[in-house]
Amino acid sequence: MKVDRLCLKNYRNIDLVDIEFSPYVNILYGDNAQGKTNILESLFMCATGRSQRTRNDKELIQFNNQSAHISCYVSKENYQDKIDIHLKNGEKKGIAVNSIPIRRLGDLFGTINIVLFSPEDLMLVKEGPALRRRYMDIELCQLSKVYYFNLQKYYKILKERNTLLKKMVKNGSLLEDTLDVWDKQLCAYGTKLAEERKSFIEDLNLKAEKIHGDISANKESLKIEYKESVDYSNFYEKMVKNRDKDIFYGNTCVGIHKDDMVFYINGNNARDYASQGQQRTICLSLKMAEVELINEKTGAYPVLLLDDVLSELDKNRQDYILKSINNIQTIITCTGLDEITRNIGDKIKIFKVKEGKIL
């Protein structure tokens, strides 16, 4: 799977660009705030239908313009897909694959698989569980349209249940029979999602454990576990038992929306004990393991986006990444070229980005 070409119009600070990428390593270099990350963001949009930086699509449209457009051409073995995303102020974004509009975002997933590694990912270890849940959901949605469908259903039911809980604060037990209907549906979808997340983390752990050992010269061991907020084999009974508490808070206190993933270094919880260098190694191991897992599950490597992360890593970790991307289409943003070009070789295409233009 490769990105052949990307066309952007009125996207953030970009008037108009048309980029033809190398199937190997591509470098976007230039000063900060010139538009390099905007290009990677648009590619992430083509894979997930969402920005990794904002929930407000209006922010993606260039100032003083009413609309923006993204076109992305993706090669897969012996055929090519074209993804179009049209953003318009005050309207829902339009997405089409091969000129056919898609009605559900889930129909976009899998058209192109992307692994993005950005400085924000270095917070995965130390930040709260919401960031890690989002990470799991994005990666699983790329791998499984069924997971996306079940996730949408779960959160729709969760919203309805929480609305009902707030009404019950005023109306008491009169609505309890209605609550039971939502509980059974929430448990059905929640159990399926938790099983898929747990399986995903187990597969990811096996690969990340080996990669982490290679990077640390086997001086450290990494373990990733899925942390459940409830025993899903007994989910419904726990929901019933928790009803008084849920009604009191007007919120559902257990379920996949409260679960987490935990990183352990040498048996210790990395969130509490990992140094800054160890956090970086964990994130690097996680992202490279994700690349391998997607290849294993789909039969094709994803496109790897490295958004100014090499400057955050020491030479040993930089070398590991640069030596690992020989067979993977990679798009790197950076402010300087010397260190990268020395370590990659001749399979490289370089673009200078200045004020939203490719020079």
Side-chain angles (χ1 to χ4, degrees):
M1 185 178 291
K2 304 283 191 296
V3 177
D4 295 328
R5 183 181 169 200
L6 177 71
C7 305
L8 301 177
K9 183 178 180 181
N10 300 334
Y11 186 88
R12 289 203 185 258
N13 75 325
I14 297 171
D15 292 324
L16 184 67
V17 298
D18 189 340
I19 311 171
E20 291 187 8
F21 290 107
S22 160
Y24 303 105
V25 177
N26 301 269
I27 297 178
L28 307 172
Y29 85 100
D31 294 336
N32 291 323
Q34 299 302 304
K36 303 185 301 294
T37 297
N38 296 341
I39 293 169
L40 298 196
E41 179 187 41
S42 69
L43 289 168
F44 189 83
M45 282 276 293
C46 290
T48 66
R50 296 188 177 96
S51 162
Q52 79 277 19
R53 295 192 290 172
T54 179
R55 294 176 181 271
N56 185 1
D57 289 343
K58 186 178 178 180
E59 294 177 20
L60 307 177
I61 301 172
Q62 190 180 52
F63 186 66
N64 286 335
N65 273 288
Q66 294 301 308
S67 65
H69 193 265
I70 306 168
S71 290
C72 182
Y73 298 80
V74 184
S75 288
K76 300 176 183 178
E77 294 183 353
N78 56 354
Y79 68 96
Q80 187 183 68
D81 283 329
K82 183 188 177 189
I83 301 166
D84 285 293
I85 300 178
H86 189 70
L87 304 163
K88 195 168 183 180
N89 273 335
E91 295 184 18
K92 186 178 179 181
K93 63 176 165 274
I95 304 176
V97 177
N98 298 325
S99 301
I100 301 172
I102 62 172
R103 292 189 174 89
R104 299 183 305 178
L105 194 56
D107 295 331
L108 175 66
F109 288 114
T111 308
I112 176 174
N113 291 321
I114 276 178
V115 172
L116 170 68
F117 189 12
S118 68
E120 290 75 22
D121 290 318
L122 297 172
M123 298 187 292
L124 269 172
V125 178
K126 287 287 186 178
E127 289 295 309
L131 191 65
R132 291 183 287 278
R133 285 194 294 268
R134 184 174 185 269
Y135 163 77
M136 287 188 285
D137 289 338
I138 287 173
E139 305 318 322
L140 276 161
C141 285
Q142 288 195 82
L143 290 170
S144 171
K145 292 184 179 183
V146 173
Y147 183 89
Y148 173 80
F149 174 81
N150 288 339
L151 189 69
Q152 294 296 105
K153 286 286 187 181
Y154 179 89
Y155 277 103
K156 183 177 180 180
I157 294 162
L158 179 66
K159 184 179 178 181
E160 296 287 352
R161 186 179 193 269
N162 287 342
T163 299
L164 185 60
L165 288 170
K166 290 175 176 65
K167 289 180 180 178
M168 290 179 72
V169 174
K170 297 179 180 179
N171 299 306
S173 60
L174 294 174
L175 299 170
E176 191 162 334
D177 289 344
T178 309
L179 186 64
D180 196 57
V181 174
W182 295 118
D183 286 1
K184 288 176 180 177
Q185 292 184 63
L186 198 72
C187 290
Y189 285 108
T191 300
K192 292 176 184 176
L193 291 163
E195 288 173 354
E196 288 193 68
R197 280 184 180 178
K198 189 173 181 180
S199 177
F200 170 73
I201 294 301
E202 286 172 353
D203 291 341
L204 198 65
N205 175 66
L206 289 173
K207 298 185 182 304
E209 189 175 33
K210 182 181 183 306
I211 292 169
H212 193 276
D214 292 342
I215 298 171
S216 66
N218 293 315
K219 293 176 182 177
E220 295 176 351
S221 64
L222 169 66
K223 188 173 181 60
I224 310 172
E225 289 185 351
Y226 184 59
K227 185 178 180 182
E228 299 174 340
S229 62
V230 63
D231 180 358
Y232 286 97
S233 65
N234 201 28
F235 191 11
Y236 177 73
E237 287 77 5
K238 183 68 174 178
M239 292 283 285
V240 172
K241 188 177 179 179
N242 264 27
R243 278 181 184 175
D244 289 343
K245 180 181 177 182
D246 288 354
I247 292 168
F248 179 79
Y249 287 106
N251 193 38
T252 304
C253 296
V254 294
I256 64 135
H257 60 290
K258 296 290 185 180
D259 291 354
D260 198 359
M261 60 188 289
V262 184
F263 304 96
Y264 296 95
I265 291 289
N266 298 334
N268 297 313
N269 192 324
R271 188 176 182 187
D272 300 322
Y273 296 103
S275 68
Q276 196 170 60
Q278 286 173 322
Q279 293 173 51
R280 288 184 166 93
T281 307
I282 290 170
C283 290
L284 172 55
S285 302
L286 183 70
K287 292 295 178 174
M288 299 312 291
E290 190 184 331
V291 168
E292 295 299 328
L293 184 59
I294 290 175
N295 178 48
E296 185 179 280
K297 297 287 186 183
T298 67
Y301 278 108
V303 179
L304 177 61
L305 309 181
L306 301 177
D307 187 13
D308 201 28
V309 290
L310 293 179
S311 61
E312 300 278 349
L313 303 173
D314 62 24
K315 187 177 184 303
N316 180 47
R317 296 179 182 89
Q318 285 184 15
D319 288 347
Y320 184 86
I321 288 182
L322 297 175
K323 289 174 183 176
S324 300
I325 59 178
N326 289 332
N327 299 316
I328 305 165
Q329 186 184 37
T330 307
I331 303 172
I332 303 171
T333 67
C334 61
T335 53
L337 289 173
D338 292 347
E339 192 64 32
I340 299 174
T341 53
R342 276 201 301 269
N343 284 281
I344 292 177
D346 58 355
K347 291 183 177 180
I348 184 170
K349 193 169 184 179
I350 300 172
F351 305 86
K352 184 173 182 179
V353 183
K354 185 175 182 180
E355 297 178 350
K357 296 179 175 62
I358 301 294
L359 306 179

